[in-house]
Amino acid sequence: VDRGVGGEQVDRYAGFSDFVQAREGALLRTAFLLTTDVQLAEDLLQSALAKAALHWPRIRNGQPEAYIRSALYRESVSRWRHRRGVTEVPTASMPERAGVSPEDEIDLRFAVIAALRRLAPRQRAVLVLRFYEDLSLSQVAEALSCSVGTVKSQTHDALRRLRSLAPELAEFRTNPEVLL
Protein backbone atom coordinates (compact mmCIF):
# COMPACT_ATOMS: atom_id res chain seq x y z
CA VAL A 1 0.00 0.00 0.00
CA ASP A 2 1.40 3.38 -1.03
CA ARG A 3 0.43 6.91 -0.10
CA GLY A 4 -1.31 8.78 -2.88
CA VAL A 5 -1.98 12.48 -3.33
CA GLY A 6 -3.32 13.94 -0.08
CA GLY A 7 -1.88 11.05 1.97
CA GLU A 8 -4.67 8.52 1.22
CA GLN A 9 -3.69 4.89 0.92
CA VAL A 10 -3.47 3.51 -2.62
CA ASP A 11 -3.19 -0.19 -3.41
CA ARG A 12 -0.41 -0.35 -5.98
CA TYR A 13 -1.59 -3.83 -7.00
CA ALA A 14 -5.23 -2.85 -7.58
CA GLY A 15 -6.59 -4.89 -10.47
CA PHE A 16 -3.58 -7.20 -10.72
CA SER A 17 -5.33 -10.22 -9.23
CA ASP A 18 -8.39 -9.69 -11.46
CA PHE A 19 -6.16 -9.38 -14.51
CA VAL A 20 -4.29 -12.59 -13.67
CA GLN A 21 -7.51 -14.52 -13.07
CA ALA A 22 -8.93 -13.34 -16.41
CA ARG A 23 -5.84 -13.95 -18.57
CA GLU A 24 -3.90 -16.72 -16.80
CA GLY A 25 -5.20 -19.51 -19.06
CA ALA A 26 -4.21 -17.78 -22.29
CA LEU A 27 -0.83 -16.74 -20.90
CA LEU A 28 -0.17 -20.27 -19.64
CA ARG A 29 -0.95 -21.71 -23.08
CA THR A 30 1.59 -19.35 -24.62
CA ALA A 31 4.17 -20.27 -21.97
CA PHE A 32 3.53 -23.96 -22.68
CA LEU A 33 4.08 -23.46 -26.40
CA LEU A 34 7.34 -21.69 -25.64
CA THR A 35 8.61 -24.38 -23.25
CA THR A 36 6.63 -27.48 -24.35
CA ASP A 37 6.64 -28.58 -20.71
CA VAL A 38 3.83 -27.93 -18.22
CA GLN A 39 6.04 -27.35 -15.18
CA LEU A 40 8.49 -25.13 -17.08
CA ALA A 41 5.53 -23.19 -18.49
CA GLU A 42 4.12 -22.62 -15.01
CA ASP A 43 7.55 -21.45 -13.79
CA LEU A 44 7.97 -19.20 -16.80
CA LEU A 45 4.54 -17.62 -16.29
CA GLN A 46 5.16 -17.15 -12.57
CA SER A 47 8.42 -15.36 -13.34
CA ALA A 48 6.74 -13.08 -15.91
CA LEU A 49 3.86 -12.30 -13.53
CA ALA A 50 6.30 -11.49 -10.73
CA LYS A 51 8.01 -8.97 -13.02
CA ALA A 52 4.65 -7.53 -14.02
CA ALA A 53 3.60 -7.18 -10.38
CA LEU A 54 6.70 -5.10 -9.66
CA HIS A 55 5.78 -2.72 -12.48
CA TRP A 56 1.98 -2.96 -12.18
CA PRO A 57 1.37 0.72 -11.31
CA ARG A 58 3.15 1.70 -14.53
CA ILE A 59 1.73 -0.97 -16.87
CA ARG A 60 -1.85 -1.45 -15.63
CA ASN A 61 -3.25 1.48 -17.63
CA GLY A 62 -1.37 0.54 -20.80
CA GLN A 63 -1.15 -2.93 -22.27
CA PRO A 64 -0.31 -5.26 -19.38
CA GLU A 65 -0.86 -8.42 -21.41
CA ALA A 66 1.60 -7.28 -24.06
CA TYR A 67 4.13 -6.53 -21.32
CA ILE A 68 3.70 -9.99 -19.79
CA ARG A 69 3.86 -11.77 -23.14
CA SER A 70 7.06 -9.93 -23.98
CA ALA A 71 8.46 -10.96 -20.58
CA LEU A 72 7.51 -14.58 -21.37
CA TYR A 73 9.35 -14.55 -24.71
CA ARG A 74 12.46 -12.89 -23.37
CA GLU A 75 12.64 -15.08 -20.26
CA SER A 76 12.15 -18.21 -22.38
CA VAL A 77 15.08 -17.32 -24.62
CA SER A 78 17.18 -16.27 -21.63
CA ARG A 79 16.56 -19.58 -19.85
CA TRP A 80 17.54 -21.48 -22.97
CA ARG A 81 20.83 -19.60 -23.18
CA HIS A 82 21.64 -20.69 -19.63
CA ARG A 83 20.71 -24.32 -20.29
CA ARG A 84 22.63 -24.97 -23.51
CA GLY A 85 24.33 -28.03 -22.00
CA VAL A 86 21.02 -29.89 -21.68
CA THR A 87 20.45 -32.46 -24.42
CA GLU A 88 17.27 -32.79 -26.45
CA VAL A 89 14.59 -35.27 -25.47
CA PRO A 90 14.11 -37.87 -28.22
CA THR A 91 10.54 -38.46 -29.36
CA ALA A 92 8.91 -41.31 -31.23
CA SER A 93 7.41 -40.57 -34.60
CA MET A 94 3.68 -39.96 -34.58
CA PRO A 95 1.23 -42.19 -36.42
CA GLU A 96 -0.22 -40.90 -39.66
CA ARG A 97 -3.46 -38.98 -39.40
CA ALA A 98 -6.31 -40.93 -41.00
CA GLY A 99 -9.28 -38.69 -40.15
CA VAL A 100 -10.39 -35.81 -38.01
CA SER A 101 -11.34 -37.69 -34.87
CA PRO A 102 -10.62 -36.19 -31.44
CA GLU A 103 -7.90 -38.80 -30.97
CA ASP A 104 -6.25 -37.72 -34.23
CA GLU A 105 -6.37 -34.09 -33.18
CA ILE A 106 -4.68 -34.99 -29.90
CA ASP A 107 -1.99 -36.94 -31.78
CA LEU A 108 -1.47 -33.98 -34.08
CA ARG A 109 -1.11 -31.60 -31.15
CA PHE A 110 1.49 -33.89 -29.59
CA ALA A 111 3.35 -33.97 -32.93
CA VAL A 112 3.36 -30.16 -33.05
CA ILE A 113 4.57 -29.92 -29.47
CA ALA A 114 7.28 -32.52 -30.10
CA ALA A 115 8.44 -30.63 -33.19
CA LEU A 116 8.38 -27.27 -31.36
CA ARG A 117 10.39 -28.82 -28.53
CA ARG A 118 13.18 -29.61 -30.97
CA LEU A 119 13.46 -26.02 -32.21
CA ALA A 120 15.75 -23.48 -30.60
CA PRO A 121 13.80 -21.30 -28.13
CA ARG A 122 14.23 -18.17 -30.25
CA GLN A 123 12.84 -19.98 -33.31
CA ARG A 124 10.01 -21.37 -31.19
CA ALA A 125 9.24 -17.89 -29.86
CA VAL A 126 9.13 -16.43 -33.38
CA LEU A 127 6.70 -19.13 -34.58
CA VAL A 128 4.48 -18.79 -31.53
CA LEU A 129 4.35 -15.02 -31.88
CA ARG A 130 3.76 -15.03 -35.64
CA PHE A 131 1.36 -17.92 -36.04
CA TYR A 132 -0.25 -18.55 -32.65
CA GLU A 133 -0.40 -14.99 -31.36
CA ASP A 134 -0.87 -13.68 -34.94
CA LEU A 135 1.48 -10.73 -34.45
CA SER A 136 2.91 -8.73 -37.33
CA LEU A 137 6.61 -8.81 -38.16
CA SER A 138 7.16 -5.46 -36.47
CA GLN A 139 5.24 -6.54 -33.35
CA VAL A 140 7.35 -9.70 -33.09
CA ALA A 141 10.52 -7.65 -33.57
CA GLU A 142 9.45 -5.31 -30.78
CA ALA A 143 8.53 -8.18 -28.44
CA LEU A 144 11.88 -9.89 -28.98
CA SER A 145 13.95 -6.69 -29.14
CA CYS A 146 15.37 -7.43 -32.57
CA SER A 147 15.03 -6.20 -36.14
CA VAL A 148 12.28 -7.13 -38.59
CA GLY A 149 14.96 -8.74 -40.76
CA THR A 150 15.95 -10.99 -37.87
CA VAL A 151 12.32 -11.99 -37.39
CA LYS A 152 12.04 -12.84 -41.09
CA SER A 153 15.20 -14.94 -41.13
CA GLN A 154 14.32 -16.68 -37.84
CA THR A 155 10.83 -17.46 -39.17
CA HIS A 156 12.25 -18.82 -42.41
CA ASP A 157 14.83 -20.97 -40.60
CA ALA A 158 12.30 -22.19 -38.02
CA LEU A 159 9.74 -23.21 -40.65
CA ARG A 160 12.42 -24.98 -42.71
CA ARG A 161 13.59 -26.88 -39.64
CA LEU A 162 10.00 -27.64 -38.60
CA ARG A 163 9.30 -29.08 -42.06
CA SER A 164 12.34 -31.34 -41.81
CA LEU A 165 11.58 -32.42 -38.23
CA ALA A 166 7.88 -33.12 -38.79
CA PRO A 167 6.99 -33.58 -42.46
CA GLU A 168 3.69 -35.17 -41.37
CA LEU A 169 2.48 -31.69 -40.36
CA ALA A 170 2.57 -30.41 -43.95
CA GLU A 171 -0.94 -31.64 -44.72
CA PHE A 172 -2.35 -29.42 -41.95
CA ARG A 173 -1.00 -26.11 -43.26
CA THR A 174 -4.43 -25.06 -44.44
CA ASN A 175 -6.10 -25.68 -41.07
CA PRO A 176 -3.73 -24.30 -38.40
CA GLU A 177 -6.40 -23.99 -35.70
CA VAL A 178 -6.40 -27.79 -35.43
CA LEU A 179 -2.74 -27.68 -34.45
CA LEU A 180 -3.14 -25.62 -31.30
Side-chain angles (χ1 to χ4, degrees):
V1 178
D2 291 334
R3 298 281 177 203
V5 178
E8 75 273 2
Q9 289 187 346
V10 178
D11 181 5
R12 66 179 277 132
Y13 302 107
F16 184 72
S17 180
D18 292 336
F19 172 81
V20 171
Q21 285 180 339
R23 300 304 304 153
E24 182 177 29
L27 292 168
L28 187 57
R29 279 189 297 279
T30 299
F32 176 75
L33 289 171
L34 292 170
T35 63
T36 67
D37 179 275
V38 174
Q39 291 176 332
L40 291 175
E42 290 170 348
D43 290 347
L44 181 64
L45 180 57
Q46 182 177 5
S47 176
L49 289 174
K51 289 176 183 175
L54 291 174
H55 301 285
W56 187 248
R58 180 175 52 87
I59 66 171
R60 71 175 151 213
N61 294 323
Q63 296 181 328
E65 188 163 347
Y67 177 92
I68 294 169
R69 287 182 186 279
S70 183
L72 285 172
Y73 310 133
R74 288 185 181 135
E75 181 70 17
S76 175
V77 171
S78 177
R79 287 181 181 193
W80 171 77
R81 286 183 181 139
H82 290 95
R83 297 186 57 203
R84 285 189 178 180
V86 178
T87 59
E88 292 183 10
V89 177
T91 60
S93 48
M94 298 299 295
E96 293 208 19
R97 189 166 192 241
V100 186
S101 70
E103 293 83 12
D104 289 337
E105 286 185 17
I106 290 170
D107 288 345
L108 177 60
R109 288 176 191 220
F110 280 124
V112 170
I113 291 165
L116 285 173
R117 184 176 283 134
R118 295 173 63 195
L119 293 176
R122 186 127 178 139
Q123 289 179 334
R124 191 180 315 139
V126 167
L127 291 183
V128 169
L129 289 168
R130 286 286 289 137
F131 302 110
Y132 179 71
E133 297 292 335
D134 199 27
L135 297 183
S136 69
L137 290 170
S138 60
Q139 290 170 319
V140 174
E142 183 180 332
L144 296 177
S145 299
C146 64
S147 70
V148 170
T150 299
V151 172
K152 288 180 180 180
S153 65
Q154 287 285 318
T155 302
H156 174 78
D157 293 345
L159 288 173
R160 185 171 37 107
R161 177 150 165 126
L162 196 60
R163 284 184 198 105
S164 71
L165 292 173
E168 68 275 12
L169 299 178
E171 69 182 275
F172 303 104
R173 285 191 303 230
T174 58
N175 192 9
E177 63 272 0
V178 172
L179 298 177
L180 305 170

